[in-house]
Amino acid sequence: MKITIITAGKAHDADMKASIEDFSRRIEKYFPFNWQVLSTKQYNVAADQKKYESGIMLTQITKDDFVILLDERGKQFTSIEVADLIQQTANASKKRIVLIIGGAYGVEQSVFDRANIVWSLSKLVFPHMLVRLILAEQLYRACTIIRNEKYHHI
């Protein structure tokens, strides 16, 4: 199974790039992993921006993908529950888990409709680049939990 993160916006922020890439390399020891950072054009109207970015994101998803949308209104999971979700998805012979981080204005309802799960990292709202780092760390943590390695402490 492969894990892909699709995100709208700029390339990884220089201040966080090294940490994001470090966790990305760590994840690759467990699953094929990649980022799809979609560069988008800027619109003056938020609704137009959201529609454009959502459309691009949906073209990157296949009907067989297991899609997890990150949104502050989603369900919160423990790290162990994230590990269980990844393991269950792999056991179900899914070829790819796709995690979506929406742009500054979020995503349209069509992306919510396509998502198998809507996941909230927190009730707080974080800067886009920090979400990337937190997500990468949590995916790595889940991988170590699945393998019963010592990174995660209970």
Side-chain angles (χ1 to χ4, degrees):
M1 183 184 71
K2 183 176 186 174
I3 299 175
T4 298
I5 298 175
I6 298 174
T7 182
K10 303 171 187 169
H12 298 313
D13 181 88
D15 293 334
M16 295 193 190
K17 184 176 181 178
S19 295
I20 292 170
E21 288 178 351
D22 178 48
F23 283 115
S24 297
R25 280 190 299 276
R26 292 181 191 197
I27 295 165
E28 288 176 342
K29 293 178 182 172
Y30 303 92
F31 294 101
F33 176 77
N34 73 306
W35 288 88
Q36 290 183 357
V37 179
L38 307 174
S39 59
T40 63
K41 50 186 167 181
Q42 294 296 102
Y43 287 88
N44 292 329
V45 179
D48 292 341
Q49 186 77 36
K50 188 161 77 168
K51 181 178 182 179
Y52 175 76
E53 291 171 351
S54 295
I56 292 175
M57 289 176 177
L58 289 172
T59 66
Q60 304 301 307
I61 301 168
T62 71
K63 65 180 177 71
D64 297 324
D65 290 335
F66 187 84
V67 179
I68 301 172
L69 172 63
L70 274 75
D71 186 87
E72 69 266 15
R73 295 161 292 181
K75 181 179 180 194
Q76 293 185 347
F77 294 96
T78 66
S79 296
I80 292 172
E81 290 171 331
V82 173
D84 289 343
L85 176 62
I86 291 171
Q87 185 63 63
Q88 290 169 9
T89 305
N91 290 347
S93 300
K94 289 290 185 180
K95 291 182 181 174
R96 188 168 78 147
I97 293 177
V98 175
L99 295 108
I100 297 175
I101 304 170
Y105 303 108
V107 296
E108 288 202 312
Q109 186 61 44
S110 57
V111 180
F112 280 92
D113 294 343
R114 175 58 186 88
N116 298 92
I117 291 178
V118 181
W119 175 19
S120 171
L121 294 177
S122 171
K123 290 182 180 180
L124 303 171
V125 177
F126 297 114
H128 196 83
M129 293 295 168
L130 187 55
V131 170
R132 292 182 191 184
L133 178 59
I134 293 169
L135 179 57
E137 190 279 336
Q138 283 299 301
L139 290 175
Y140 172 67
R141 182 177 297 275
C143 291
T144 65
I145 291 169
I146 291 167
R147 295 273 180 92
N148 201 27
E149 296 175 351
K150 295 182 181 184
Y151 182 80
H152 179 73
H153 303 281
I154 296 175

